[in-house]
Amino acid sequence: MVVGSVAYDGVETPHGRVDRMLGGACTYISLSASFFAPVKIVAVVGDDFDPADTAFLKSRGIDLTGLERVPGKTFFWQGVYSDDMNDRTTLRTDLNVFADFDPKLPESYRSQPYLLLGNIQPALQRNVQRQMSETRFVGGDTMNYWIDDFKDELLATIKTWDFLRINDSEAKLLSGESNLRRAARKSLAMGPNTLVIKRGEYGAMLFREDQYFIVPGYLLDEVFDPTGAGDCFAGGFVGYLAECGFDLARDRIDRKHLSRAVIHGSVMGSFCCEKFGVDRFRTLTRAEIDARYREFKDFTDF
Amino acid sequence: MVVGSVAYDGVETPHGRVDRMLGGACTYISLSASFFAPVKIVAVVGDDFDPADTAFLKSRGIDLTGLERVPGKTFFWQGVYSDDMNDRTTLRTDLNVFADFDPKLPESYRSQPYLLLGNIQPALQRNVQRQMSETRFVGGDTMNYWIDDFKDELLATIKTWDFLRINDSEAKLLSGESNLRRAARKSLAMGPNTLVIKRGEYGAMLFREDQYFIVPGYLLDEVFDPTGAGDCFAGGFVGYLAECGFDLARDRIDRKHLSRAVIHGSVMGSFCCEKFGVDRFRTLTRAEIDARYREFKDFTDF
């Protein structure tokens, strides 16, 4: 089960520009996870939400019972990437119907085993968690805004999580440590048993109390649009765990499978960047995913 | 055989400051390589060169027959690192006796099988290579200054190399490509059969016509002083090849051993950062090197 934003994005990269396309953290996470396990989403859209987009999500087997449709416009975000695509500038953020998002879970959602929370206000993330009854696994994302201005609320929220995913600058901000190893140690002490730090094109790192794993980023010939890559990582990571029936409790997953979950996350993040928005997921196949997994093995094994 | 600068450095990092200590590319490369194979150096120092430094190099079994001592002062470099240590500012560069460095090889050096050229003027690198008779392997380093202002001379030099080591921004500058995969392809077309791109704390990549390998950087608890880490990488990489008797011709090394050479380079670069200057190499043991190699295996294997 995935909670977060379903949105429209306007994106400009050195490879082109799209004024309006399907986006949002919940969308990226769900599409990515849908290649591994059945997905249910909780989100809100306006009455401008395109039936073609609903149809696409459904075609990936995503349960939309929890996708509320209310009068008004869907969340809209617009941004432009720098030439090397390592920076982006937000040009516009219209929260629209997302401003009043207060997720209520359908009865059929409440006993889902895997809960992945997109980057929304920590108090809302906690509200969702409270409505669940048999969750084996809770994880999510946050960002500098919540770390800076909602620190106490955020700490109370992630305290009960199994899995926290942030990027390297957020890890430093959250922990107050400039060294990543120490930042990871401090972040784990805040509650989660598993921390994933994303480093953009440089890859990802997983930390637990007794182990760590690092994978470099996949080298694409062209990065068309990095929007959503981190969310697709999360979808692949948790989707793989769900597919295998693992969660992050110490006795229910081994070292190898944890690392393989990170690789599946990385694989999905890399595919995400190959086309604008979610377009790559319209044609992606499990065989392509498995082939890229083997490629990761080839270029990292020694 | 290693050619390059033997120098004194003044370095300031967030962890402290040393006004004058042994440094220089040739020094770092040689010390690192000396843990794997016998090393001979070609360099020049002034009459201020400290006998204690000569003794230290000798204690590592390094052949100093080619270390010229001339009247004047030894090359001096002074720099200060930014808080995150990803940037450094050069405060002073006194070439001193290094300004007239024109390497002449002792007779006993001319049939060495492995030649590693530190970052000096490309024409000098070529002069050294011409004096060698039975070299199986030639590789080296360069920098943005030579790429910008001595491009033709540089291209004529690296054309006959087996191995080129540069960092990611130099690879982009040399090739005119912002994408690393394409930058690597173009750089290989310039001559070297093997390209290593160093990415500082993010690790290293090796490219050949038919394969590539990527390793993330080692996570240190404290980076004391990153000066020389790239040179120590090169020393470990070539030192390991020399120890095993491999060179980079296609039929004389396999994929696994190439990757292992990259790991040995990474291991040596990581040790280099643990203390100021070359200090870590005063106490380092082969057992520590082998243990860190296994650690790399542990945190990258899946």
Side-chain angles (χ1 to χ4, degrees), chain A residues 5 46 78 100 115 128 141 183 194 210 243 247 280 291 293 296:
Chain A
S5 58
Q78 192 184 3
D100 301 317
L115 170 60
V128 171
D141 180 24
T194 304
D210 56 344
E243 180 183 45
D247 57 51
R280 187 62 180 86
Y293 177 90
F296 266 90

Side-chain angles (χ1 to χ4, degrees), chain B residues 27-49:
Chain B
T27 308
Y28 281 105
I29 297 171
S30 307
L31 284 170
S32 173
S34 73
F35 286 86
F36 303 95
V39 177
K40 296 177 186 299
I41 72 173
V42 178
V44 63
V45 293
D47 46 25
D48 61 345
F49 197 67

Side-chain angles (χ1 to χ4, degrees), chain A residues 179 182 220-221 297 302, chain B residues 179 182 220-221 297 299 302:
Chain A
N179 176 287
R182 287 202 306 274
L220 288 162
D221 254 325
K297 187 83 186 162
F302 64 90
Chain B
N179 177 288
R182 288 202 306 274
L220 288 162
D221 254 326
K297 186 83 187 161
F299 75 74
F302 65 89

Side-chain angles (χ1 to χ4, degrees), chain A residues 53 74 201 226:
Chain A
D53 292 326
T74 302
E201 64 166 315

Side-chain angles (χ1 to χ4, degrees), chain B residues 107-152:
Chain B
E107 197 51 48
S108 60
Y109 278 39
R110 294 180 191 252
S111 56
Q112 287 304 305
Y114 296 88
L115 170 60
L116 196 48
L117 297 154
N119 168 29
I120 54 175
Q121 186 172 338
L124 292 183
Q125 293 175 321
R126 206 141 41 117
N127 281 348
V128 172
Q129 206 179 328
R130 280 205 202 98
Q131 298 173 53
M132 310 281 291
S133 56
E134 289 164 52
T135 314
R136 283 170 58 190
F137 173 103
V138 181
D141 180 24
T142 192
M143 71 185 291
N144 48 4
Y145 176 65
W146 310 117
I147 299 172
D148 277 333
D149 296 348
F150 292 75
K151 185 86 176 261
D152 290 344

Side-chain angles (χ1 to χ4, degrees), chain A residues 12 14 22 27 31 34 60-61 112 125 152 164 168 176 185 203 246 263-264 270 273 288 290 297:
Chain A
E12 187 173 347
L22 181 60
T27 308
L31 284 169
S34 73
R60 293 281 336 136
Q112 287 304 303
Q125 293 175 321
D152 291 344
L164 171 65
D168 37 10
R185 220 175 279 141
F246 294 123
I263 302 296
H264 279 91
S270 74
C273 300
E288 288 177 307
D290 294 343
K297 187 83 186 162

Side-chain angles (χ1 to χ4, degrees), chain B residues 257-292:
Chain B
H257 283 101
L258 260 174
S259 307
R260 288 173 193 165
V262 174
I263 302 298
H264 280 91
S266 302
V267 163
M268 298 309 285
S270 74
F271 279 121
C272 175
C273 300
E274 288 186 349
K275 291 200 173 177
F276 271 98
V278 300
D279 276 0
R280 188 62 179 87
F281 299 116
R282 297 182 196 276
T283 58
L284 186 65
T285 64
R286 185 60 191 251
E288 288 177 308
I289 293 170
D290 294 343
R292 185 154 297 175

